[in-house]
């Protein structure tokens, strides 16, 4: 495990969150889950098993689509906040679905919504359910716009672990006119 770099990069993360209208507490928890602010993750010494890189754990195709180097924290933090904002737009303003898509992929979330409707949370991978429970806004339940308290369905006694996203969020990028080829 490397050095904790939170003190150095938190101001950059806060500025990025504010720039794109992402709640700061949500964005900071997301980055904590993704990289733990660990220098070995941030500088690419440690790469996720899925191939995600850097402070915001970008998949290479997503980083390329956003024209950033995921190992440059300033670029990655700005792009991560922009990406969440793009995903939020794709999911009609739903921040919870955007954060789920950041973790599991926009396609996975869209397919899960199509299959499960208002109970979409039940169809998400358990890792993403845990990810959402950690990242939700402070003092709030994970209440979806459909009025379903998805946070109440989390399995008991599960400790959250840093998340790894499996695939780039091609659907959200395509919705913004960004090619993933």
């Amino acid at each position: 495990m490397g050095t904790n770099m939170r003190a150095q990069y938190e101001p950059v993360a806060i500025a990025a969150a504010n720039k794109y209208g992402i709640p700061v507490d949500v964005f900071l928890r997301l980055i904590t889950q993704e990289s733990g602010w660990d220098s070995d993750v941030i500088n690419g010494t440690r790469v996720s098993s899925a191939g995600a890189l850097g402070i915001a754990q970008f998949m290479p195709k997503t980083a390329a689509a956003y024209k950033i180097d995921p190992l440059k924290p300033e670029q990655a933090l700005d792009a991560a906040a922009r990406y969440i904002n793009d995903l939020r737009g794709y999911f009609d303003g739903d921040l919870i679905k955007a954060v789920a898509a950041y973790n599991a992929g926009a396609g996975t979330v869209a397919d899960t919504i199509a299959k499960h409707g208002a109970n979409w949370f039940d169809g998400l991978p358990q890792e993403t359910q845990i990810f959402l429970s950690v990242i939700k806004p402070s003092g709030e339940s994970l209440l979806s716009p459909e009025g379903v308290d998805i946070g109440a369905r989390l399995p008991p006694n599960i400790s959250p672990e840093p998340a790894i996203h499996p695939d780039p969020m091609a659907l959200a990028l395509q919705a913004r006119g960004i090619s993933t080829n």
Side-chain angles (χ1 to χ4, degrees):
M1 187 139 193
T3 307
N4 186 310
M5 304 295 289
R6 185 172 184 142
Q8 182 175 348
Y9 293 116
E10 184 174 281
V12 178
I14 291 169
N18 285 328
K19 179 178 178 181
Y20 294 100
I22 306 302
V24 170
D25 62 327
V26 170
F27 192 64
L28 292 177
R29 281 194 294 277
L30 182 137
I31 297 303
T32 299
Q33 280 298 104
E34 292 292 355
S35 65
W37 307 92
D38 185 303
S39 62
D40 288 346
V41 176
I42 292 169
N43 68 26
T45 301
R46 214 167 70 229
V47 178
S48 80
S49 59
L53 297 164
I55 194 166
Q57 290 292 281
F58 271 100
M59 295 299 289
K61 279 187 175 181
T62 306
Y66 278 86
K67 297 180 169 80
I68 59 118
D69 179 345
L71 300 179
K72 292 189 176 175
E74 292 82 0
Q75 290 181 20
L77 290 167
D78 185 79
R82 183 166 36 123
Y83 188 24
I84 293 166
N85 191 49
D86 290 347
L87 289 166
R88 183 171 53 186
Y90 180 78
F91 289 105
D92 299 320
D94 189 325
L95 181 62
I96 293 171
K97 288 176 182 165
V99 171
Y102 191 96
N103 178 258
T108 297
V109 174
D111 290 347
T112 301
I113 292 165
K115 184 175 180 181
H116 297 276
N119 296 316
W120 63 274
F121 182 81
D122 294 335
L124 292 173
Q126 187 177 38
E127 171 193 318
T128 303
Q129 293 178 16
I130 294 166
F131 188 81
L132 286 173
S133 74
V134 172
I135 294 169
K136 68 180 179 158
S138 294
E140 292 184 21
S141 69
L142 269 173
L143 201 61
S144 73
E146 296 88 2
V148 177
D149 186 358
I150 58 181
R153 297 195 195 134
L154 290 172
N157 303 320
I158 292 182
S159 61
E161 297 176 10
I164 307 292
H165 17 166
D167 216 22
M169 292 34 160
L171 290 177
L173 294 173
Q174 290 169 359
R176 297 282 296 175
I178 299 170
S179 173
T180 58
N181 297 331

